[in-house]
Amino acid sequence: MKAVKKPKAAAASPPARPSPKVAFPKKAQAPTHAEFAARLPAPVGKRFEAVRAYLKKQEIAEDFYYYGPRTGWAYRYREGESSLCSIMILKGRLVGIIALDAAAQAKVPWAALSDVAKRARKVAHGTPSLLWLDIPLDGTGAMDFKSLLKAKI
């Protein structure tokens, strides 16, 4: 008697979702402020403008900086010659990136921050002496990001 081979069931894997394109990938084509803002939904744009206004009030220098073809152009904020933070569109979301040294980390009111910042702290990269946090700015993360900036400035 021959063994009958059963056909293998196809693996139930979700269809591959195309990854979002980099918002501004070409080095020779820096975006304008209007082009950057046009990529954001209205509520996110308002939060972004609130963060920009806060930084401007602190007299922090703002410019566009090219981070390479995988990240593209982003806002870079500097205090003197030191980089303070960056704000970019990553995977279709507005994200603020900030590096906190040990002294700045000690000033952060971690317990008062939302779950967004607490989650970002758990998955942060770097070392205990210099922690890199990626904070999504499309919700409560914008207020958390301002709190982190206050600790660093």
Side-chain angles (χ1 to χ4, degrees):
M1 180 179 220
K2 283 187 171 180
V4 177
K5 288 188 179 181
K6 293 181 181 178
K8 291 185 180 180
S13 63
R17 197 168 53 178
S19 60
K21 293 183 178 178
V22 174
F24 305 103
K26 297 182 180 176
K27 186 174 185 177
Q29 295 176 344
T32 64
H33 297 293
E35 288 171 330
F36 194 93
R39 298 273 181 136
L40 306 173
V44 177
K46 288 179 183 178
R47 289 183 190 98
F48 173 54
E49 289 304 325
V51 171
R52 283 183 73 202
Y54 171 75
L55 289 165
K56 186 174 184 176
K57 189 175 180 181
Q58 305 302 316
E59 299 180 357
I60 303 298
E62 172 187 88
D63 65 357
F64 275 116
Y65 185 80
Y66 185 70
Y67 285 94
R70 292 177 63 179
T71 303
W73 288 91
Y75 281 95
R76 176 178 64 171
Y77 295 92
R78 293 177 301 134
E79 187 174 34
E81 292 300 313
S82 300
S83 179
L84 181 64
C85 67
S86 295
I87 297 178
M88 58 191 63
I89 299 173
L90 289 176
K91 298 181 182 173
R93 293 181 80 185
L94 187 67
V95 176
I97 299 175
I98 187 167
L100 299 174
D101 61 16
Q105 290 177 55
K107 295 179 193 174
V108 174
W110 294 107
L113 298 180
S114 76
D115 288 342
V116 172
K118 291 173 185 173
R119 220 174 3 259
R121 184 181 186 195
K122 283 182 184 178
V123 298
H125 48 280
T127 64
S129 62
L130 187 63
L131 195 63
W132 289 82
L133 294 118
D134 300 359
I135 308 287
L137 302 181
D138 53 1
T140 57
M143 290 304 294
D144 293 335
F145 193 66
K146 283 173 64 174
S147 295
L148 297 174
L149 288 169
K150 287 177 186 176
K152 189 168 179 176
I153 295 175

